[in-house]
Amino acid sequence: MQVKESALSACASAGSVRELEDVRVRFLGKKGELTLILRGMGQLSPEERPAIGKLVNEVRGQVEAALAARTESLAQAETEARLKAETLDLSLPGRRPGRGTKHPLNIIFEDLQRIFVGMGFQVVEGPEIETDYYNFEALNVPPDHPARDMQDTFYITEEFLLRSQTSPVQIRVMERQEPPVRIIAPGKVYRRDADATHSPMFHQVEGLVVDKGITFGDLKGTLMELARSLYGDREVRFRPSFFPFTEPSAEMDISCIVCEGAGCRVCKGTGWLEVLGSGMVHPRVLEMAGYDPNQVTGFAFGIGLERLAMTRYGIEDIRLLFENDLRFLRQF
């Protein structure tokens, strides 16, 4: 049968797996030569069909076997050729993998943890999905309090939200622990705010000290030691502020690290950079946590890690801390 001889000859002369696939399509494809013969069986007489059909099927089987054998042979030859071309010189020195670096936020947090643990604080964590009670009401911020307008919060339901501060951890600790309390609460917090100096997700470390006889002087001494450890001998100032969960409240500033107090774009011409908020724990907060404000007092403070990183390293855009640009991160 001439088609058989042509097919077997084409299989033998194919020089690659790709060429062999062309041979298969030519003879066995939907419009292949053997396929067309089978489709023309209807034009034969009933006596001729069995013999011709048997012959065509035998030829088809021989061609398929030849294709399979030749495919295996060519594939093995191509693999050997590729391996020979890709031979590795094992005597060459290896490529040193790139080294990572600590993220500036991790550096700041490790420094804070070292400082506060050295002063006797414990590190406590809490849930990022909080109840409205712990995030607001237990911190002296009832539903109609204007202070809620200061924080644009991500609500999940009317009761649950993404915490806007780590202060709820302080309430949870006071509920289950009698004074004295001396803790810091680090973690992610969330607010609807995004620009060069704000991010909808950022990191805070909030601190709480509650015991008999705690005064504002203790607060100032603790925070000035923190400023000295982080910024060295730099001028520090406290100015009055307002937070519903502390009374009195104060902001702590440091002299601008860019202009050294002369006034620049970074400090908006004031010569000062805001670092953190603080104050004496409001008596109402102590009461709601189950403490007697006539027996104990305390102070609290909240530090934004991004703000510390920006003031410490002179970073002007908070988005740099989240873009994971190695050119930026390698500077630390």
Side-chain angles (χ1 to χ4, degrees):
M1 193 175 188
Q2 186 177 358
V3 174
K4 171 185 174 181
E5 299 301 328
S6 298
L8 294 179
S9 175
C11 286
S13 61
S16 67
V17 173
R18 182 182 293 275
E19 291 180 11
L20 205 59
E21 174 63 16
D22 293 337
V23 173
R24 186 195 67 78
V25 173
R26 174 186 168 188
F27 291 97
L28 303 180
K30 290 183 178 181
K31 298 181 179 181
E33 295 182 21
L34 281 173
T35 305
L36 292 177
I37 293 175
L38 287 173
R39 289 180 178 176
M41 294 284 288
Q43 301 176 4
L44 301 175
S45 65
E47 293 79 12
E48 293 177 316
R49 288 175 190 170
I52 298 299
K54 180 180 179 182
L55 179 60
V56 172
N57 285 328
E58 288 178 353
V59 172
R60 184 181 184 89
Q62 292 174 0
V63 173
E64 288 177 344
L67 285 169
R70 186 61 176 160
T71 299
E72 183 179 356
S73 175
L74 288 175
Q76 183 177 355
E78 290 179 4
T79 299
E80 291 176 354
R82 187 172 66 254
L83 291 175
K84 186 176 181 180
E86 295 176 355
T87 299
L88 298 177
D89 185 352
L90 299 181
S91 66
L92 290 174
R95 294 185 178 92
R96 189 181 298 275
R99 295 184 62 184
T101 180
K102 285 186 178 181
H103 194 281
L105 293 181
N106 289 336
I107 296 174
I108 291 291
F109 175 66
E110 290 175 1
D111 287 345
L112 287 177
Q113 184 172 249
R114 172 182 52 80
I115 294 167
F116 284 115
V117 170
M119 290 192 285
F121 284 73
Q122 291 181 311
V123 181
V124 182
E125 296 183 347
E128 293 181 25
I129 296 179
E130 264 294 1
T131 64
D132 185 88
Y133 173 79
Y134 281 107
N135 196 81
F136 288 121
E137 290 192 45
L139 292 167
N140 198 34
V141 190
D144 58 348
H145 199 291
R148 291 211 184 199
D149 296 335
M150 298 168 61
Q151 300 178 12
D152 201 354
T153 308
F154 289 99
Y155 276 91
I156 301 172
T157 67
E158 290 186 1
E159 181 182 0
F160 293 98
L161 49 85
L162 295 179
R163 65 183 181 188
S164 60
Q165 54 207 352
T166 57
S167 299
V169 180
Q170 301 174 2
I171 303 299
R172 292 179 177 274
V173 170
M174 287 193 289
E175 285 182 343
R176 66 173 182 262
Q177 177 181 330
E178 292 295 324
V181 173
R182 188 182 294 264
I183 63 165
I184 57 171
K188 298 175 183 176
V189 296
Y190 306 86
R191 299 180 188 176
R192 294 178 183 270
D193 207 354
D195 55 36
T197 57
H198 298 86
S199 169
M201 186 280 293
F202 57 103
H203 301 77
Q204 275 190 344
V205 173
E206 302 212 11
L208 173 71
V209 174
V210 179
D211 202 354
K212 294 181 179 180
I214 298 297
T215 67
F216 198 90
D218 297 313
L219 168 63
K220 288 186 64 176
T222 300
L223 296 184
M224 291 182 71
E225 174 62 21
L226 169 66
R228 186 196 63 78
S229 299
L230 289 177
Y231 301 102
D233 294 328
R234 183 169 295 280
E235 191 174 358
V236 176
R237 76 174 184 182
F238 290 84
R239 53 186 171 81
S241 187
F242 166 78
F243 303 106
F245 32 83
T246 55
E247 181 60 38
S249 304
E251 302 272 6
M252 186 180 83
D253 303 332
I254 61 167
S255 59
C256 181
I257 62 174
V258 176
C259 64
E260 296 296 335
C264 66
R265 183 169 63 89
V266 176
C267 63
K268 299 179 181 179
T270 65
W272 297 93
L273 294 175
E274 177 187 330
V275 175
L276 56 85
S278 63
M280 299 300 293
V281 180
H282 197 289
R284 176 62 178 158
V285 174
L286 294 174
E287 288 179 350
M288 295 187 71
Y291 289 0
D292 184 352
N294 295 317
Q295 298 296 320
V296 295
T297 53
F299 66 77
F301 54 87
I303 308 169
L305 291 189
E306 284 78 4
R307 183 179 296 276
L308 282 188
M310 294 174 73
T311 56
R312 188 177 188 183
Y313 298 119
I315 301 170
E316 298 185 17
D317 194 324
I318 193 173
R319 290 168 288 199
L320 291 170
L321 296 170
F322 301 105
E323 292 176 347
N324 292 326
D325 189 327
L326 290 177
R327 296 169 299 177
F328 170 77
L329 297 177
R330 286 193 179 112
Q331 298 178 61
F332 304 94

